Structure formats: structure tokens, C-alpha cells
Amino acid sequence: MYYKIISKISKPLSPEILHKLFLFSLKLRIFKKEKNFSNLRTEVFGKSFENPIGLAAGFDKNADAIPGLFDLGFGFLELGTVTPMPQLGNEKPRVFKIPEYEAVIQRLGFNNRGVEDFLRNLKNFDKKKNQILGINIGKNKNSEDNFSDYEFLYDIVKVHADYITINISSPNTPGLRDLQKKENITKLISRLPSKTKTTFIKISPDINDRELDDICNIVLDSAKIDGLILTNTTISRQNLYSKPIKNSWKIEETGGLSGPPLRGLSNEIINRVYKKTKGKIILIGVGGVSSGKDAFEKISLGCNLVQLYTSLIYQGPSLILNILKELSYLLKKNNLKNVSSLVGTNIKP
Ligand SMILES: Cc1cc2nc3c(=O)[nH]c(=O)nc-3n(C[C@H](O)[C@H](O)[C@H](O)COP(=O)(O)O)c2cc1C
């Protein structure tokens, strides 16, 4: 309904202009509502989360709308991906909506205003204890050394973050996903400072089982990495052929696919990782979450926290409250006291 109305009145506007308008409306703080679900409170890496539903990286790349995003009801926000220097990203058009699947294909390529601007915004934000912030860091397209951007960013953002995410899984920066290979990831971790901040690595759903097992082993052995964010967008289009699409040329566009067609793929990865790591590392599940049931499923598969992005585009500001209501109800219905009692149980919603 929300998407039908918005797409009718905004037909001539590109997805990127619409996104800017959304961020602008968040800055006006018009969505503030009271959201309090005691059974959704959860404790992860020593921090108290009001609820386990977070905003995924990429929505607020420059930390422009932090208070307005918390107004929507999120339990935590992941800001970024931020790079050291500002960069424009790829040529436009580069974001394609596929309403038939409530999905998006995009190849933005880490467009952002750079870390200086990002930190200025963060310094202006009066952070409360329960407003958990993650900062997602990435490398500039033209940086000469694959690791130095991460080393540099880690150091300067850490005082502002409750956790840091090392993003080596976006499909839109050439060569970035090669950093997921065993030798590279080991080298990257060795370049990070010894443990100062809760740290996650964000992984692509397109890696094979061996690469995934290698990553699990590395994280299990590493004192510097606390967990994984599963997953980024996919370059696969396998789940976009079950029904006809009006502008089917969009499927062929290069870029990462997100939304419901990613859900199954992301859940398979979560399932495999949880079976291998057995609760010894923290998992944040992301990919195709658009309801309380989807969030329940990811937690039940082993995630401690959940994130979303694409469903917010299609369902609008009321989405988070709806998810929180449904998740809270589903916990009660299954006689579960709280979120942590659901983690890894494999209970079906
Ligand atoms: C327009 C757009 C931009 C994104 N930008 C980033 C980004 O900068 N960094 C990142 O780690 N992930 C980025 N993502 C991926 C999301 O954080 C998330 O992993 C993915 O979209 C799957 O979740 P969803 O199905 O709920 O959207 C982006 C996704 C979209 C749709």
C-alpha cells in the first residue's frame, strides 16, 4: 500500500532522489512513536539493545539522519559504508527497483562524502546509551593498498562506534570480494589493531562452502573479530524467474540484488555458519527481512541480531513498529521469554 501510493505520486523521481527525500523527512523527526516491547530487549556483546532489529549499512552512508532513524524504532543502526576519501560511485542510473519482487538491484559503488564529513555528523549527535551504533568501513576504489584504508578508518571511527563492520563483500567495488579469500582476510585482520572494539566482518552470499568454512575457522581463532554479518547483496539472479517482470531488462543490470529474493540464500549461509560455529561467535542476519516472521526465522537459525534495508523502501516508516509487534507476539506464542531464548533453536515461526 505504502509503495503503491509513493510510487504513484513520485513516478518521475529516480530511486536515488526518493531516497534523499526519505532521509530529509527523517531529519524532520516526524515519525517519533513510543515503542516498548520488554520481551524484545536483548543483551549482545555487553550492550543492551531495546530490540534486535537494526538498520543495515548503505541506507545512511553519511550519518545524516541518526535521530530520525532511531525514531522509527530500530534497536541499532549500522552507518556507512564510509571510505577515507569522498567518492561519487558509479555512473547513474545505478539503482533499479523490481516491485514485482519488492527487490532492488544496485551498483552504487560506495558513493559517500568521506570520513571527515561522516565524523562531523557523528560528533553532532548526542548519543544515548541505548542508541547502539555500528560503523561500516570500506576502501576507496582507487586506493593503492587493499588494507591501509581499513587500518586508517578503524582507528579514527572507533571512539564513535559500539561496533565496527569490515565490509569486504560489496559486489560493486572491483576486487573487493577477493579480500574474503583466506590469505587476504588473514592479512587484513593482522593489520587491524589488537582488540579495542567489537568487530564484525560482512560476508557475501555468493562465496562457496569452502571459503565460508575458512572464514568461520579464521573468526573462531581470531581474538580481533567477534562475529559475522550475513549477508551482503547477491550477484545471483536465480530467484528472479518465478514470475514475469514488467521491465525485465532490469534483471540483466549489473549489481547486487537485495530484498525477498535474497532471503533464502542468506538463510542458507546463516544456517551453515551457525552449525559450524555453534554460538561461539556473534551473528547478525540480513537479507530479505520484511516481517516479524522473517526476523524470527533468522534468529531461530542462529542470529543474535537482525538487520534490514530494502523492505523499508517498499513498506515505509511504519515497517519497524509492525515487525516489532509481530516478533514480540511470535515469541509469546512460542512460550519464549525473550529474544536470546530463540537464538539457534530452529523453531519455525
Ligand atoms: C541501495 C543499497 C545500498 C547498499 N549499500 C551498502 C553499503 O554501503 N554497505 C554495505 O555493507 N551494504 C550495503 N547494502 C547491502 C545491505 O546492507 C544489505 O546487506 C542487503 O541489502 C540485504 O538486506 P535487505 O534484503 O534487507 O536489503 C546496500 C543495499 C542497498 C539496497
Side-chain angles (χ1 to χ4, degrees):
M1 188 65 179
Y2 165 85
Y3 184 71
K4 272 194 182 145
I5 295 169
I6 288 290
S7 58
K8 276 241 155 67
I9 46 184
S10 63
K11 218 164 192 170
L13 303 178
S14 75
E16 286 196 55
I17 301 282
L18 268 177
H19 186 72
K20 283 199 174 128
L21 287 175
F22 196 173
L23 279 173
F24 178 74
S25 70
L26 288 169
K27 280 193 198 172
L28 300 177
R29 313 280 312 266
I30 50 180
F31 299 115
K32 196 162 176 51
K33 286 187 200 109
E34 213 36 63
K35 302 155 188 96
N36 201 346
F37 299 91
S38 56
N39 65 344
L40 296 187
R41 288 210 188 100
T42 189
E43 185 103 1
V44 191
F45 56 86
K47 304 267 175 192
S48 298
F49 290 71
E50 291 288 312
N51 68 69
I53 308 297
L55 176 75
F59 190 94
D60 192 1
K61 289 175 188 277
N62 301 297
D64 278 323
I66 306 173
L69 283 163
F70 276 120
D71 288 347
L72 297 185
F74 283 113
F76 65 111
L77 308 177
E78 188 166 313
L79 307 168
T81 298
V82 62
T83 57
M85 301 302 291
Q87 61 179 32
L88 292 171
N90 294 319
E91 238 173 77
K92 293 178 185 172
R94 53 192 181 177
V95 182
F96 307 92
K97 286 185 185 166
I98 306 171
E100 291 86 347
Y101 287 88
E102 300 207 341
V104 168
I105 290 175
Q106 54 81 23
R107 49 169 181 273
L108 288 166
F110 289 170
N111 55 318
N112 76 106
R113 299 198 300 270
V115 74
E116 210 178 306
D117 203 274
F118 185 92
L119 289 181
R120 199 173 310 122
N121 280 344
L122 272 176
K123 281 175 194 154
N124 287 332
F125 172 59
D126 182 18
K127 187 176 180 307
K128 315 245 174 351
K129 208 174 164 201
N130 62 350
Q131 295 181 315
I132 313 270
L133 291 181
I135 298 183
N136 179 308
I137 59 175
K139 75 181 195 83
N140 276 116
K141 187 177 174 186
N142 297 325
S143 75
E144 277 162 23
D145 164 3
N146 270 333
F147 309 110
S148 53
D149 283 2
Y150 291 98
E151 212 177 343
F152 166 74
L153 285 171
Y154 193 99
D155 201 46
I156 56 169
V157 304
K158 67 179 183 228
V159 288
H160 301 281
D162 292 295
Y163 72 87
I164 294 176
T165 301
I166 313 283
N167 181 8
I168 46 173
S169 50
S170 288
N172 305 313
T173 295
L176 190 83
R177 295 186 308 162
D178 288 341
L179 297 181
Q180 296 176 119
K181 298 218 164 81
K182 194 175 169 179
E183 323 73 74
N184 291 336
I185 211 169
T186 310
K187 203 163 167 193
L188 175 56
I189 293 171
S190 77
R191 296 274 292 264
L192 299 177
S194 51
K195 191 156 172 33
T196 41
K197 193 56 71 180
T198 302
T199 305
F200 292 91
I201 297 179
K202 186 164 175 180
I203 296 299
S204 155
D206 302 325
I207 58 175
N208 63 40
D209 288 351
R210 218 204 55 229
E211 287 169 326
L212 190 59
D213 289 351
D214 283 345
I215 291 173
C216 290
N217 289 331
I218 290 168
V219 176
L220 281 168
D221 287 345
S222 169
K224 292 184 187 173
I225 307 297
D226 299 273
L228 293 171
I229 304 200
L230 308 166
T231 67
N232 214 311
T233 56
T234 177
I235 57 166
S236 150
R237 300 290 184 262
Q238 68 193 30
N239 295 333
L240 283 184
Y241 293 102
S242 61
K243 55 185 164 192
I245 293 175
K246 215 165 150 200
N247 294 303
S248 56
W249 54 269
K250 288 184 188 169
I251 299 185
E252 311 306 331
E253 289 291 341
T254 305
L257 168 72
S258 58
L262 170 64
R263 188 166 54 241
L265 216 54
S266 147
N267 286 353
E268 274 171 35
I269 301 269
I270 291 165
N271 195 21
R272 187 172 175 96
V273 168
Y274 188 73
K275 281 193 174 137
K276 188 145 173 71
T277 56
K278 301 187 177 81
K280 291 188 194 120
I281 64 170
I282 303 162
L283 301 183
I284 301 183
V286 53
V289 172
S290 54
S291 65
K293 187 171 154 281
D294 297 336
F296 186 99
E297 197 175 10
K298 278 198 169 31
I299 298 167
S300 162
L301 284 172
C303 295
N304 307 85
L305 299 164
V306 172
Q307 295 176 329
L308 58 86
Y309 182 158
T310 303
S311 55
L312 192 56
I313 299 174
Y314 285 96
Q315 295 188 44
S318 59
L319 168 74
I320 310 308
L321 187 55
N322 291 339
I323 290 184
L324 298 180
K325 276 184 194 156
E326 193 186 359
L327 183 59
S328 173
Y329 164 77
L330 287 171
L331 287 177
K332 283 184 199 146
K333 194 180 132 204
N334 286 282
N335 294 319
L336 295 161
K337 223 170 70 213
N338 50 34
V339 173
S340 58
S341 49
L342 171 64
V343 177
T345 54
N346 253 316
I347 297 171
K348 302 278 171 282

